[in-house]
Amino acid sequence: DGERIEQWGASTTYRALNALYYAIPSMDFLGFHDFAQRALDYYVARCAPDGLLSDGYTLAGLGWNLKMIWDHYLLTRDIEWLRKVSPQIEQSGWWIIRQKEKTKKLDPQGNKLPEYGLTPPGLTADWSAYNYYFCLAAYFYDGLRSASSALGEINYEDVGRLQEHVKDFHEEILRAYKWAQSRMPVNQLQNGTWVVPYPSQVPLPRNVASFFPAEDDNRPGLGCYDVELGAMNMVPLGMLDPNREDIRCMLDHLEDFWFLSEGWKDYPAAASQNDWFNLGGFSKVQPNLCRVAEIYAALDEIKPFVRSYFNFITPQINKQNLTFWEDFTPDSGAWGSTEGSGYFLLLTRIMLLMERGEELWLAPLVTDQWLNNGMEVAVQDAPTRFGTTSYRINSFTDRGYIEAEINPPTRSSPKEIVIRLRHPQGKRIRAVTVNGAQHTAFDAARDIIRLEPATEKFYVKAHYD
């Protein structure tokens, strides 16, 4: 009777796979909380008594769901709903813990085996090579961390033990990652330099494609496990700090090698390499699974983010109705992919609005070409962890300034509100006024203005050289 919603993955093919991470949170971040909650309730109702949600193809969905439940609560602060679904959170959290404890084995010398403390071998998506994938472990880690945080909100008596397991899981995954990384050959970039590798699993000492070249539906040369389901997923899932030096190595090699390699049907390597700027920046099998744009966002690298954002859209968009293909065209993917559409919406939200710790950032990654003279960027009643917020930016660069009107969230106060106002010609901010008064808390090199939280509307004007 409409109590729950079974989300679909594509108009022609997929039903309620809990591998569809992006549809629910994208709706939630756009304010459709009722849809998100009823879709989450569908999965809560299907959780097994031992906490497992599904296996095989969609095994990682267990971690995803715990994360989505936590994010939904942060947006809505619906404590009664959180209490209602807490039994599933508890059961699923302990299921993850039981799995990681299974692998705690020592070798004859008493040393930890490489896979010590990881979840047992598994798989996800179309590819059937079982292994200790860091991507899969990271989704379980993120789910366990979210479960611990959610249960802490309702004063769950065992939250301390959960937090200990979260810390232990994080340490063991990092140990295993370092072990695997130290045994892989370094990667060469196109400029002749060599960089640190980024393993996708234990214990193979190279990428998965080197050992199973035809594993993915006999599609030779594709690096699905090393790219779409590779180590880069560990960054947005909180396993790897984006500021680690080896993350830059990872990004450079992805851009230099994998993103210009042979693609599935639509993008031969020669075409990508010939037009590297327009055809680079995204993976060549299923771009919405490769979360590189999120890493650039975490690093606050605007131009790489913008390029990855726009380059990923064009190959996947269905020009008949502006939905997304699962992959690229009718020959290589399902029609009407809610996963592709959802990821586009999530990246758009990151471009326009994001939380960074206790700070609320407005227009953090907006292209400066949307701020040419006479243009306007506006966001209305956007849900955030602090409550809803709105802002409107108007460009008057012919007069030497860009102005913004901000309605801050009032449910709770962020530590700071940060707005980025980028001049389309790259000019630096010279002076700022807030509500008509001089304001000195700005960083001209980063195009940002920092504002103390308040409940009243802000009027911000940035003047440029």
Side-chain angles (χ1 to χ4, degrees):
D1 299 320
E3 181 181 347
R4 303 172 191 147
I5 291 175
E6 180 187 24
Q7 63 164 338
W8 282 59
S11 301
T12 57
T13 309
Y14 303 120
R15 293 184 63 202
L17 300 174
N18 58 294
L20 303 172
Y21 176 69
Y22 303 119
I24 292 175
S26 66
M27 294 291 280
D28 229 356
F29 280 124
L30 287 173
F32 298 97
H33 302 312
D34 179 67
F35 173 93
Q37 182 173 306
R38 287 194 283 159
L40 288 170
D41 283 341
Y42 171 84
Y43 293 120
V44 170
R46 298 179 70 86
C47 188
D50 67 352
L52 179 62
L53 184 57
S54 66
D55 56 13
Y57 188 102
T58 57
L59 181 62
L62 175 63
W64 289 347
N65 257 308
L66 292 173
K67 170 65 171 174
M68 287 189 289
I69 288 171
W70 175 234
D71 282 346
H72 178 71
Y73 169 73
L74 290 177
L75 290 174
T76 64
R77 298 292 173 173
D78 188 344
I79 192 70
E80 293 306 316
W81 177 79
L82 190 66
R83 288 195 179 99
K84 186 182 77 171
V85 301
S86 63
Q88 189 248 331
I89 299 173
E90 178 185 12
Q91 293 158 5
S92 296
W94 286 108
W95 184 90
I96 293 172
I97 290 169
R98 290 194 299 272
Q99 307 317 304
K100 78 178 183 65
E101 294 298 308
K102 289 178 182 179
T103 63
K104 290 188 171 181
K105 305 288 179 63
L106 304 177
D107 67 16
Q109 289 73 43
N111 301 313
K112 292 180 179 180
L113 292 173
E115 65 273 17
Y116 183 97
L118 304 185
T119 46
L123 53 81
T124 189
D126 296 313
W127 311 299
S128 56
Y130 277 78
N131 216 322
Y132 296 94
Y133 293 105
F134 290 116
C135 171
L136 192 55
Y139 274 110
F140 284 139
Y141 162 77
D142 196 32
L144 182 59
R145 182 178 59 165
S146 298
S148 172
S149 299
L151 293 172
E153 287 288 303
I154 59 171
N155 300 315
Y156 174 64
E157 60 182 2
D158 250 355
V159 71
R161 287 178 60 206
L162 283 177
Q163 291 170 346
E164 290 175 5
H165 281 289
V166 171
K167 182 174 182 290
D168 170 73
F169 200 15
H170 189 266
E171 290 174 351
E172 295 302 343
I173 296 173
L174 287 181
R175 177 201 53 78
Y177 185 79
K178 183 177 180 180
W179 182 94
Q181 189 177 49
S182 68
R183 285 158 175 79
M184 287 183 71
V186 291
N187 293 320
Q188 187 176 22
L189 302 181
Q190 292 190 22
N191 64 5
T193 60
W194 299 80
V195 295
V196 177
Y198 44 103
S200 56
Q201 33 58 45
V202 174
L204 301 180
R206 293 191 68 184
N207 56 52
V208 179
S210 299
F211 288 88
F212 302 102
E215 179 60 33
D216 181 35
D217 196 25
N218 201 33
R219 296 180 282 196
L222 302 181
C224 306
Y225 266 131
D226 302 302
V227 183
E228 278 82 357
L229 299 177
M232 69 289 305
N233 288 275
M234 300 172 74
V235 179
L237 292 171
M239 267 303 312
L240 295 179
D241 186 331
N243 294 296
R244 285 171 50 132
E245 186 176 352
D246 59 345
I247 300 303
R248 171 56 53 199
C249 298
M250 176 194 296
L251 293 170
D252 287 346
H253 185 255
L254 285 165
E255 294 278 6
D256 262 22
F257 179 72
W258 283 117
F259 292 170
L260 304 180
S261 296
E262 198 71 21
W264 184 17
K265 298 182 181 179
D266 305 84
Y267 291 93
S272 296
Q273 292 166 12
N274 184 58
D275 190 12
W276 60 267
F277 185 85
N278 292 304
L279 299 184
F282 63 95
S283 64
K284 295 302 185 290
V285 177
Q286 198 164 340
N288 57 275
L289 293 180
C290 184
R291 304 177 68 173
V292 164
E294 293 175 74
I295 304 177
Y296 286 132
L299 291 169
D300 201 35
E301 295 194 2
I302 307 170
K303 289 185 177 181
F305 172 87
V306 169
R307 177 169 169 259
S308 295
Y309 171 84
F310 282 106
N311 282 11
F312 128 84
I313 295 172
T314 306
Q316 286 198 276
I317 200 76
N318 184 332
K319 297 173 182 62
Q320 293 177 316
N321 59 9
L322 300 184
T323 61
F324 279 69
W325 295 107
E326 179 190 12
D327 297 297
F328 298 119
T329 68
D331 294 328
S332 62
W335 177 78
S337 167
T338 57
E339 189 171 32
S341 299
Y343 193 53
F344 159 70
L345 292 172
L346 276 183
L347 290 185
T348 304
R349 198 264 188 179
I350 289 173
M351 175 190 279
L352 295 169
L353 178 79
M354 66 189 303
E355 301 91 346
R356 286 177 169 164
E358 293 304 309
E359 296 178 345
L360 177 61
W361 283 59
L362 308 179
L365 299 160
V366 169
T367 168
D368 56 15
Q369 296 308 295
W370 288 0
L371 291 175
N372 279 302
N373 185 60
M375 289 188 172
E376 177 182 271
V377 175
V379 170
Q380 183 71 30
D381 296 329
T384 78
R385 294 178 182 179
F386 310 103
T388 58
T389 189
S390 304
Y391 70 85
R392 185 177 304 276
I393 301 171
N394 292 99
S395 177
F396 299 94
T397 54
D398 62 335
R399 305 179 202 173
Y401 66 90
I402 296 174
E403 65 181 16
E405 175 187 310
I406 303 168
N407 284 296
T410 57
R411 188 177 65 203
S412 62
S413 294
K415 183 178 179 181
E416 279 188 318
I417 295 175
V418 183
I419 188 167
R420 173 167 274 141
L421 301 175
R422 301 179 65 211
H423 195 284
Q425 281 80 52
K427 294 181 180 180
R428 296 303 186 195
I429 298 174
R430 172 176 50 82
V432 174
T433 60
V434 176
N435 296 333
Q438 291 297 317
H439 185 80
T440 59
F442 66 91
D443 185 337
R446 299 179 66 193
D447 304 307
I448 61 173
I449 301 165
R450 294 186 174 275
L451 305 164
E452 293 292 327
T455 58
E456 301 299 324
K457 186 180 294 187
F458 292 105
Y459 293 92
V460 179
K461 182 179 288 189
H463 300 267
Y464 298 83
D465 291 327

